[in-house]
Amino acid sequence: MKLNVIVPTYNRAASLRKTLANFEVVVTVVNNNSTDETAQAVEEMRAEFADKNLEYLFEEKQGRSYALNTGIKSAGGDLLTTVDDDVRIAENWFVEIEKIFRARWNEIDFAGGKMLPEWEDDEKIPAWIAPLKDGVLSWRDYGDEEWRYGPETPMLTGGHAIFKRSVLDEIGPFAEGVGATGKNLMSCEDDILYDKLLTAGKCGIYFPQLVVYHFMPKYRVSKSYYRQWCFGAGMSWELMDEFYKPIAGARILGVPRYLYREAFGELLGKIKAALFFNETESLARENKILVFAGFFYARNLKDRRWLAKPLTALAKLTVEPAER
């Protein structure tokens, strides 16, 4: 049983060095058109892979999905895992994967585990951080018991996922044209792949003993970054709705009606939380409001040039620039 680790990377040479330092199997690094010293970093790491295999690929098309698909096409092995370039694996990670799939190969098609934060500045973790955990920070700790992935469970994240190669060959590649590109905060490539896995009836298990640590820079622990991420998620949903699987139900101005209801309900909840000085709940209530705003913007306003200037000015007043 052979495992191949695919690491898509964009302008994170420093953290990529830390990620590669942990691996003991075949690794495929896909440079997604980086402008920093990523290529040099990989070359410098080759000495540490003397008895292993470190493959380097370059994907010119900007976008995480393009990089992942390039890696998948090239990679060999019975198992493929996608690991982000700012992730550090736990010491027993390889051992646990071997134990799980060796014993339950005929049962399991894909697997996920815990993704815990590794703070750049752990002395400044705000009290209101809870709304950021699942999405913005990819802080995935869902307990110490295994369970099966399904429509009502937390979603598998592509930043730490293990797949049978045969399963990816069957359901097809990551959706291209959605997801992170450069420094934007678009998403949903993982959502689409997860939906394809469930639609195909594949069995995925959450294993708490599979642990990785996700480096968390200071700029991501901010309300500004959270708001940009939620707005970007709304724009990504619009792309999924248009090009992958339309959302069922009635619409107003091309936006599903239920998104209006959710946004209005959350706005009332935010006002109430603000009146009671509940900062955490007030921030959490912004999620669906901003998802609605992102969806509405992408469907109705994005390509209307006369709106570009006032919208940009409004964004600068409410949201600070962020990095991916």
Side-chain angles (χ1 to χ4, degrees):
M1 185 172 62
K2 296 180 180 179
L3 172 68
N4 191 303
V5 179
I6 299 170
V7 184
T9 185
Y10 174 72
N11 283 355
R12 281 187 180 148
S15 63
L16 178 64
R17 286 185 174 94
K18 296 178 182 178
T19 297
L20 295 180
N22 291 280
F23 289 120
E24 300 174 355
V25 295
V26 179
V27 178
T28 301
V29 176
V30 186
N31 182 349
N32 193 202
N33 208 13
S34 299
T35 57
D36 67 355
E37 62 275 15
T38 291
Q40 178 183 345
V42 175
E43 194 59 36
E44 290 172 355
M45 293 295 295
R46 286 194 182 280
E48 299 187 26
F49 281 76
D51 58 341
K52 310 163 196 172
N53 192 344
L54 177 60
E55 184 177 13
Y56 174 80
L57 302 174
F58 185 85
E59 174 51 60
E60 185 177 6
K61 291 182 180 178
Q62 190 70 67
R64 180 173 177 267
S65 296
Y66 291 112
L68 285 168
N69 289 338
T70 295
I72 291 169
K73 289 176 187 176
S74 172
D78 310 295
L79 288 173
L80 299 181
T81 178
T82 57
V83 175
D84 283 348
D85 56 6
D86 54 358
V87 163
R88 180 177 62 85
I89 62 171
E91 289 184 1
N92 66 339
W93 191 71
F94 297 106
V95 174
E96 294 297 337
I97 291 176
E98 169 77 13
K99 286 165 55 179
I100 289 166
F101 281 92
R102 182 71 66 187
R104 301 167 68 175
W105 182 262
N106 293 328
E107 172 193 354
I108 300 167
D109 297 305
F110 64 95
K114 292 185 179 183
M115 184 177 284
L116 305 178
E118 194 166 65
W119 307 104
E120 181 180 12
D121 186 357
D122 57 7
E123 295 181 359
K124 295 184 178 180
I125 302 173
W128 44 259
I129 199 171
L132 282 64
K133 283 186 175 181
D134 195 43
V136 178
L137 303 182
S138 295
W139 186 343
R140 308 297 176 97
D141 184 352
Y142 301 121
D144 295 323
E145 301 292 331
E146 72 172 64
W147 43 263
R148 179 166 177 164
Y149 285 101
E152 306 303 321
T153 70
M155 189 188 79
L156 180 76
T157 172
H160 174 213
I162 303 101
F163 308 92
K164 281 184 178 177
R165 175 60 190 254
S166 59
V167 170
L168 291 180
D169 290 341
E170 178 183 339
I171 67 171
F174 281 84
E176 297 175 345
V178 299
T181 303
K183 291 187 177 181
N184 75 26
L185 295 182
M186 299 287 280
S187 57
C188 287
E189 70 275 24
D190 293 339
D191 303 65
I192 292 174
L193 187 76
Y194 184 63
D195 183 77
K196 289 164 68 175
L197 287 165
L198 297 186
T199 300
K202 301 306 177 182
C203 176
I205 306 292
Y206 165 83
F207 291 102
Q209 63 268 42
L210 293 177
V211 180
V212 300
Y213 301 93
H214 188 196
F215 176 68
M216 204 56 56
K218 290 183 286 186
Y219 69 80
R220 292 186 69 166
V221 188
S222 70
K223 294 179 182 180
S224 174
Y225 191 92
Y226 169 78
R227 288 166 179 147
Q228 287 189 77
W229 187 93
C230 293
F231 191 89
M235 294 182 67
S236 302
W237 282 22
E238 192 273 338
L239 285 174
M240 286 180 60
D241 176 70
E242 183 173 359
F243 297 109
Y244 174 63
K245 182 181 288 186
I247 299 172
R251 294 170 182 258
I252 302 172
L253 295 176
V255 181
R257 193 166 61 186
Y258 84 91
L259 290 179
Y260 288 88
R261 288 197 306 269
E262 287 186 346
F264 182 72
E266 293 299 282
L267 178 60
L268 295 178
K270 177 174 175 58
I271 293 171
K272 181 179 178 181
L275 289 173
F276 284 91
F277 302 100
N278 189 330
E279 191 176 14
T280 301
E281 183 178 351
S282 177
L283 186 63
R285 296 282 187 172
E286 292 184 22
N287 185 305
K288 291 181 179 179
I289 299 171
L290 290 165
V291 166
F292 163 78
F295 195 110
F296 188 93
Y297 169 77
R299 181 57 55 93
N300 296 289
L301 304 176
K302 183 179 178 183
D303 296 322
R304 301 197 178 185
R305 296 181 181 179
W306 63 275
L307 280 169
K309 190 172 182 179
L311 284 172
T312 301
L314 178 62
K316 287 182 177 179
L317 288 173
T318 57
V319 180
E320 297 174 1
E323 299 181 25
R324 176 164 71 86

